[in-house]
């Protein structure tokens, strides 16, 4: 069908891969917990758009270029690691701000409420999620290496095969991110008044992003 071989195996493998935690899904659930589902869907839109671009680049052979040009892969790799580190620092600063805000509210209850709350930085979840997706050379290499296994080389229109496989991947990703968004919203409602726990979770997410950055910086093109 449309030049795709063994679609059932592809769908099973796709589900397993999407369920693996990564920086994109972690960022989306973090936004959902902090800012609600409406804003989180903007982050999910950034993830889906970024993945769509990577799929198109993979089908066009950019993955082969990165594989054959180590210095180019290195540039993209460290750019992605640097951006993940920047996001991690932002999350850790956010956790510290939450903790300080909790202490400030305690002070207000004791009559020391004259100090103004710190200004919250404007967050652009769509742009952040999009950049995280695009600065991931491993994703480009993954898409072409995974997709090509299920494309019939004798099919006259291989681009249509890639498009169909990509559409399935986007459908799975959207469903998974929706589950994460509403799970994050539920957790936010449950722990709304437990700022210490919220700060701890934000710090944990920041630490995880540092781990993703370290892993990406050690990645190789092969």
């Amino acid at each position: 069908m449309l030049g795709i071989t063994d679609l059932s195996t592809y769908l099973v493998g796709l589900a397993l891969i999407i369920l693996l935690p990564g920086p994109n899904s972690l960022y989306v659930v973090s936004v959902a917990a902090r800012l609600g589902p409406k804003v989180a869907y903007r982050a999910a839109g950034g993830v889906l758009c970024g993945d769509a671009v990577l799929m198109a680049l993979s089908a066009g052979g950019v993955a082969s270029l990165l594989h054959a040009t180590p210095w180019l892969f290195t540039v993209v790799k460290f750019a992605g690691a640097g951006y993940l580190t920047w996001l991690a620092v932002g999350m850790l600063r956010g956790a510290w701000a939450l903790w300080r805000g909790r202490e400030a509210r305690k002070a207000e209850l004791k009559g020391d409420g004259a100090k103004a709350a710190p200004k919250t930085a404007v967050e652009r979840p769509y742009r952040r999620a999009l950049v995280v997706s695009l600065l991931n050379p491993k994703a480009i290499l993954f898409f072409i290496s995974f997709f090509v296994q299920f494309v019939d080389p004798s099919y006259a229109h291989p681009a249509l095969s890639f498009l169909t496989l990509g559409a399935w991947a986007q459908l799975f990703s959207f469903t998974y991110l929706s589950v994460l968004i509403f799970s994050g919203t539920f957790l936010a409602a449950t722990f709304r008044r437990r700022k210490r726990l919220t700060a701890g979770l934000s710090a944990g997410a920041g630490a995880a992003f540092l781990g993703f950055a370290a892993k990406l910086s050690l990645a190789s093109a092969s």
Side-chain angles (χ1 to χ4, degrees):
M1 181 182 69
L2 299 177
I4 299 174
T5 62
D6 203 358
L7 179 61
S8 59
T9 300
Y10 168 76
L11 294 178
V12 171
L14 184 64
L16 293 175
I17 291 165
I18 288 177
L19 288 174
L20 292 174
N24 288 335
S25 58
L26 183 59
Y27 179 65
V28 170
V29 76
S30 171
V31 171
R34 292 181 289 110
L35 303 175
K38 183 176 180 179
V39 180
Y41 268 112
R42 295 211 297 267
V47 172
L48 296 176
C49 289
D51 286 349
V53 171
L54 293 182
M55 290 176 197
L57 292 176
S58 300
V62 173
S64 299
L65 175 63
L66 290 177
H67 184 80
T69 314
W71 68 265
L72 180 58
F73 180 88
T74 300
V75 170
V76 178
K77 176 181 69 173
F78 282 107
Y83 188 77
L84 290 178
T85 301
W86 182 76
L87 282 181
V89 171
M91 288 183 175
L92 293 173
R93 290 178 61 187
W96 176 244
L98 280 173
W99 182 263
R100 290 186 62 187
R102 179 175 180 272
E103 297 301 320
R105 279 186 291 275
K106 283 184 176 180
E108 288 177 3
L109 291 176
K110 295 178 181 179
D112 185 16
K115 294 183 180 179
K119 185 178 180 180
T120 303
V122 176
E123 186 164 359
R124 297 177 176 84
Y126 174 84
R127 188 177 69 178
R128 286 193 176 190
L130 178 65
V131 174
V132 169
S133 295
L134 293 177
L135 291 179
N136 188 356
K138 276 293 187 180
I140 302 176
L141 297 173
F142 159 75
F143 280 130
I144 194 168
S145 62
F146 186 64
F147 282 5
V148 75
Q149 300 176 51
F150 301 95
V151 175
D152 185 355
S154 63
Y155 186 63
H157 306 286
L160 184 58
S161 303
F162 274 99
L163 179 63
T164 305
L165 293 173
W168 276 109
Q170 293 289 64
L171 177 61
F172 274 44
S173 293
F174 177 79
T175 302
Y176 177 58
L177 291 175
S178 294
V179 172
L180 292 181
I181 286 170
F182 287 103
S183 298
T185 305
F186 172 77
L187 291 175
T190 302
F191 301 114
R192 190 177 303 277
R193 297 183 179 179
R194 302 179 65 177
K195 299 301 180 183
R196 179 181 295 181
L197 178 60
T198 304
L201 291 175
S202 296
F209 264 68
L210 285 176
F212 289 132
K215 183 178 179 181
L216 179 57
S217 67
L218 296 175
S220 62
S222 58

